[in-house]
Amino acid sequence: MCGIAGIARLGSRTLGAGTDAVLDRLADILDHRGPDEREILRDDAVGLVFTRLALVNPEDGSQPLVSDDGSLVLVANGEVYNHRELAASLPGGVRMRTGSDCEVLLHLYREHGLDFLRDVRGMFALILWDRARNQLVLARDRFGIKPLYYHRDDARIVLSSEIKGLFADPATPRRFDWEGALATPLLASAGTFNHAPVCTWFEGVELVPAATIEHIDLADGRTTRHRYWELPSDADEGADAEEFIGRYGELLEQSVQECVTADTELGLFLSGGIDSSAVLALAGDKRAGMHTFTALTGGTFDNGDAEHAAWIARELGVPNHQVLFPPDHVPTPDEWLRLLWLTETPMCGPEVYYKHELHRFAREARPGLRGMLLGAAGDEFNGGYARDMGARDWPSFMGVLSLLDRDTRLARRPAARHWWAQEPYFVSEKAVDGLEPDGDRIYRAYLDSEYRQIQQYNVWHEDRTAAGSGVEARVPFLDHRLVELCARIPERLRPELLWNKRILRQAVGHRLPERIAERPKVPFFYGDGTYHSYRMLVRLMRADSGALVERALAAPGAADFIDGDRVRAHLAGIGEGRTDSPSVEMLMRVLNMGLLAELAVDAPRLEDTSAGPVLREITGGAPVSDAVTDLPELPGEGVPAFAENVLLLTDPAGSDWYLIKDGEIEFVLQAGSPTLEVLRAVDGKSPLADLLAPLGEEGEGEARTDVGDLLELGFLAWAG
């Protein structure tokens, strides 16, 4: 990983007198991305900046890279995994002058022109200056894993790996794009597909799209875009399920082996699920000496992630650091502002925070570590989210996608929406825009949506959270060959291969214990234990008398887009106990918008913001449950009773029980849960200690937490 940046004058102008200072500021701002080395090149109308994090060939990989005749100059961020085979494909007279994996890009451009990235495999963003033609060539990898942003006017263009770098140039606007943000469906968690272009969140800031080459003529500013890759739209009807599974396993192993190639130490974020566990298993003998890192939170304790991560690490013989997020741990407002400025996105939330802290711990625990392997993007193209979307099987999953497809199309034709306001529906879906309800078209629209979501959220925050600690994130599941393979699975085989990630489970099942290979998917922090993360956010928003709230509401433009009274009232009404309402995260996103609007005005240097102390890993001693569970202090002699407006009822089979308040079902409890056992025994006479005693240590902890929450929420009260 590196930081790249530059300034170029348009219209045959030369760089002005103040350019050196701007280039120096750019290098300072991007220093965290490349703490090992920095270089600045200034020549005529172009200035380039490179800050290096050395993972491959640390002794011989400096940039800018210059062709032997001096006509081509390149700065690149990322890794070209197949650089050796690409170099071997060049004409016989071409010789590599450095050990950099990116040098081959210069020769490919000279050989193939704007078709030079066709066979490149890796993650990269690049700025190439073609001196002979007086042109800039900008490009990014197929999934936008590595970032590249720019602002331009009639006189110049300024480029940077991170948006904050653009603010080093006084001519770049420093305004949050409120309207663009509010029009981004993903930010609002809209029930539609994500077909909007990637939003940069700031006015006047553009990004080089993924899988795209931008070509800028510096003489007149004319710009062309060349898309060099698309998600496949054709199915491979000639292959059967076994062939797909075999090819998937081979490609995934190749991708992992390429990602574990480095001349410095690599680590792995290990969740205990099949994705990261598969990466660890397929690393083979290269996992020797590799350390793994797991977030130990109330959520990962409740959903079993932490336990399974520790178990598979022992099975495969690697150290596992379980980084403890205590139940009372809350980032300070200043720490949140630093994370927000590092990530540059209002979608910053609990997942982003946990990963940022894992990277910080990893770099402190392993100072020589420079790269982190991730299991990210193992769900998006493999059918991994089907059950999360409420589907029971493949037909019901396609039913969910059909609803998303219809609502996506209705968003483009709002006048027709009222026909679907309530059931029954009498108008055909074809009436929306003439499209038939075709299953293959709908599934491909879903894949395109996931492709865009990966760019807007996944790779965006994975890049920044790693970069903040001088670490490169590596994502084996985003090898384009894997994605192409899954996209080409024909409709007839999708239920067999893409339901519950069967293609992945079958491909790596022989390399992993069944306990992991067939373990059901659980979200990183959603689902069981979500309330731990949301409680952290609530406490953060309330800290220092709501300091973050008031700063966000006072930010430029906030008064026109945020209803401050509703924000304050909603926050006041959220209990400190067990809440898993999505409104908590949505409120944090709204406040993030205001805070980014404020930060952009002053554009602080990252090193001038507060990071806070690094968390510690759990060691022997107290039970893990005590370390992650915030057990309420409840009097054992106290006698709980149901509030007058609360009932506990069950269905005829007795399999599910319902906690009803004011005639509305508020909680569903499954038979056998410790909390249900306590509630069934509540009679307004028995002390709490007697109700908890039969449950055992683990069951008592869970039930005690839930009873405390129910007391706070008014479902229970103390008798007498």
Side-chain angles (χ1 to χ4, degrees):
M1 184 195 71
C2 306
I4 60 174
I7 300 177
R9 300 289 292 182
L10 304 176
S12 301
R13 303 179 181 95
T14 58
L15 295 173
T19 303
D20 287 343
V22 174
L23 292 172
D24 285 338
R25 284 198 297 272
L26 275 166
D28 287 341
I29 291 168
L30 297 180
D31 182 72
H32 60 281
R33 296 186 67 89
D36 295 336
E37 180 184 348
R38 73 164 60 180
E39 295 289 340
I40 297 176
L41 178 149
R42 177 182 172 174
D43 188 357
D44 194 29
V46 175
L48 297 175
V49 172
F50 177 72
T51 64
R52 185 185 186 205
L53 180 74
L55 281 87
V56 177
N57 201 354
E59 304 303 321
D60 184 23
S62 297
Q63 297 186 31
L65 296 162
V66 183
S67 61
D68 52 4
D69 64 357
S71 65
L72 303 176
V73 183
L74 172 75
V75 289
N77 166 28
E79 307 287 341
V80 177
Y81 293 131
N82 61 333
H83 63 99
R84 290 187 178 85
E85 64 185 75
L86 290 170
S89 71
L90 293 168
V94 175
R95 294 288 180 269
M96 297 295 111
R97 302 171 67 197
T98 74
S100 170
D101 55 289
C102 293
E103 185 189 348
V104 71
L105 298 174
L106 281 176
H107 303 288
L108 290 171
Y109 174 75
R110 172 178 282 172
E111 189 71 17
H112 302 294
L114 293 182
D115 200 30
F116 74 118
L117 297 177
R118 179 189 57 203
D119 298 321
V120 174
R121 198 163 61 246
M123 52 179 186
F124 52 85
L126 63 89
I127 306 170
L128 189 152
W129 178 23
D130 187 332
R131 279 174 162 152
R133 294 182 174 88
N134 194 27
Q135 297 168 348
L136 279 185
V137 176
L138 317 175
R140 291 172 72 207
D141 62 74
R142 292 167 177 83
F143 299 96
I145 301 171
K146 292 302 175 188
L148 185 58
Y149 304 91
Y150 63 88
H151 172 71
R152 63 180 293 177
D153 55 27
D154 292 338
R156 63 91 182 95
I157 180 170
V158 56
L159 307 109
S160 174
S161 291
E162 296 186 7
I163 296 169
K164 62 181 70 68
L166 303 180
F167 299 141
D169 178 31
T172 301
R174 298 187 177 195
R175 295 185 299 272
F176 186 77
D177 183 4
W178 288 96
E179 293 188 359
L182 293 176
T184 302
L186 190 61
L187 181 63
S189 295
T192 63
F193 290 146
N194 305 295
H195 293 319
V198 176
C199 181
T200 65
W201 312 118
F202 294 91
E203 291 183 17
V205 174
E206 300 181 61
L207 82 168
V208 179
T212 299
I213 298 170
E214 289 202 7
H215 175 259
I216 303 172
D217 190 320
L218 296 182
D220 55 18
R222 283 186 301 174
T223 302
T224 59
R225 282 185 173 179
H226 166 62
R227 181 99 185 169
Y228 66 88
W229 183 82
E230 298 278 0
L231 271 173
S233 58
D234 58 317
D236 183 355
E237 296 287 357
D240 61 18
E242 289 303 314
E243 288 179 88
F244 275 109
I245 292 168
R247 282 155 51 190
Y248 188 95
E250 292 171 2
L251 289 173
L252 180 59
E253 184 163 14
Q254 289 177 25
S255 180
V256 171
Q257 286 296 311
E258 289 176 344
C259 288
V260 296
T261 299
D263 297 320
T264 57
E265 182 179 346
L266 301 177
L268 169 72
F269 280 178
L270 186 61
S271 71
I274 188 172
D275 299 335
S276 57
S277 298
V279 173
L280 183 61
L282 295 176
D285 57 5
K286 291 185 179 179
R287 67 173 175 262
M290 182 183 293
H291 286 243
T292 65
F293 305 88
T294 302
L296 177 56
T297 70
T300 61
F301 173 76
D302 287 352
N303 68 21
D305 261 357
E307 174 192 351
H308 283 83
W311 184 84
I312 190 61
R314 288 194 300 270
E315 287 291 304
L316 296 181
V318 296
N320 179 236
H321 303 270
Q322 301 243 330
V323 182
L324 176 63
F325 293 78
D328 58 350
H329 175 76
V330 181
T332 67
D334 284 343
E335 290 167 7
W336 189 259
L337 286 169
R338 181 186 186 277
L339 176 63
L340 192 58
W341 191 232
L342 169 66
T343 58
E344 306 172 331
T345 172
M347 298 190 70
C348 183
E351 177 182 11
V352 177
Y353 174 69
Y354 293 143
K355 290 181 176 179
H356 174 256
E357 294 304 307
L358 281 184
H359 280 297
R360 294 182 65 216
F361 172 87
R363 274 306 302 270
E364 181 176 271
R366 308 292 303 172
L369 186 147
R370 290 291 186 273
M372 190 69 70
L373 297 164
L374 308 175
D379 291 305
E380 282 74 5
F381 304 104
N382 297 336
Y385 291 132
R387 284 182 169 169
D388 291 350
M389 297 167 73
R392 302 176 307 279
D393 50 26
W394 187 262
S396 63
F397 174 52
M398 288 303 301
V400 173
L401 296 189
S402 295
L403 292 176
L404 293 175
D405 175 67
R406 186 195 69 195
D407 287 348
T408 302
R409 291 153 55 211
L410 282 171
R412 296 193 289 263
R413 297 207 177 27
R417 182 177 292 278
H418 62 274
W419 286 103
W420 285 269
Q422 59 185 8
E423 294 185 5
Y425 310 136
F426 301 114
V427 177
S428 73
E429 292 192 14
K430 185 179 178 181
V432 177
D433 52 12
L435 292 178
E436 297 282 356
D438 175 75
D440 186 62
R441 177 190 61 76
I442 291 171
Y443 185 74
R444 294 195 178 282
Y446 167 68
L447 289 184
D448 182 66
S449 173
E450 293 298 289
Y451 176 64
R452 292 169 188 267
Q453 178 171 313
I454 280 176
Q455 297 169 56
Q456 185 73 75
Y457 177 67
N458 301 73
V459 298
W460 186 309
H461 82 258
E462 299 289 11
D463 172 82
R464 301 301 200 287
T465 52
S469 295
V471 175
E472 177 177 87
R474 294 188 170 185
V475 195
F477 281 99
L478 285 183
D479 185 310
H480 72 276
R481 299 170 301 172
L482 278 172
V483 175
E484 289 175 350
L485 179 73
C486 289
R488 287 196 167 109
I489 293 175
E491 195 170 4
R492 61 184 170 81
L493 293 179
R494 287 172 193 157
E496 180 179 354
L497 296 177
L498 298 177
W499 172 253
N500 194 26
K501 300 166 71 168
R502 292 312 308 168
I503 189 169
L504 171 61
R505 296 182 191 279
Q506 304 248 62
V508 302
H510 65 291
R511 305 289 290 271
L512 284 170
E514 184 178 2
R515 171 176 174 177
I516 300 297
E518 296 299 330
R519 184 186 174 212
K521 170 184 163 51
V522 296
F524 180 49
F525 80 90
Y526 293 107
D528 291 342
T530 302
Y531 74 94
H532 294 284
S533 300
Y534 284 173
R535 182 170 54 189
M536 177 186 74
L537 288 186
V538 171
R539 291 173 175 174
L540 168 65
M541 289 185 277
R542 288 178 172 168
D544 298 346
S545 301
L548 286 182
V549 174
E550 297 309 317
R551 288 182 68 167
L553 296 179
D560 296 326
F561 294 96
I562 302 178
D563 188 327
D565 291 339
R566 288 190 178 184
V567 166
R568 296 184 185 98
H570 187 73
L571 184 58
I574 299 175
E576 279 275 357
R578 187 165 189 156
T579 177
D580 57 3
S581 170
S583 67
V584 174
E585 193 165 3
M586 297 309 296
L587 177 56
M588 192 75 251
R589 291 183 182 184
V590 169
L591 297 180
N592 284 344
M593 288 192 282
L595 296 170
L596 283 170
E598 179 203 296
L599 288 165
V601 173
D602 294 327
R605 297 189 313 164
L606 198 61
E607 57 266 34
D608 293 336
T609 58
S610 174
V614 175
L615 294 169
R616 299 300 173 200
E617 65 182 311
I618 193 167
T619 54
V624 173
S625 60
D626 292 349
V628 297
T629 305
D630 191 6
L631 295 179
E633 295 184 8
L634 302 176
E637 67 278 7
V639 176
F642 288 108
E644 292 184 1
N645 58 341
V646 173
L647 294 173
L648 179 67
L649 302 176
T650 187
D651 57 28
S655 57
D656 287 326
W657 289 70
Y658 306 94
L659 201 57
I660 299 173
K661 187 176 184 181
D662 294 325
E664 298 286 338
I665 297 175
E666 299 287 348
F667 293 100
V668 179
L669 303 104
Q670 292 186 342
S673 74
T675 301
L676 177 60
E677 295 304 310
V678 170
L679 293 179
R680 292 183 63 184
V682 167
D683 56 9
K685 300 176 183 178
S686 305
L688 179 61
D690 292 350
L691 301 178
L692 295 171
L695 300 178
E697 180 181 330
E698 185 172 335
E700 178 180 342
E702 179 182 334
R704 180 183 290 275
T705 298
D706 289 344
V707 167
D709 293 342
L710 292 172
L711 283 163
E712 181 175 341
L713 294 172
F715 288 84
L716 296 175
W718 295 116

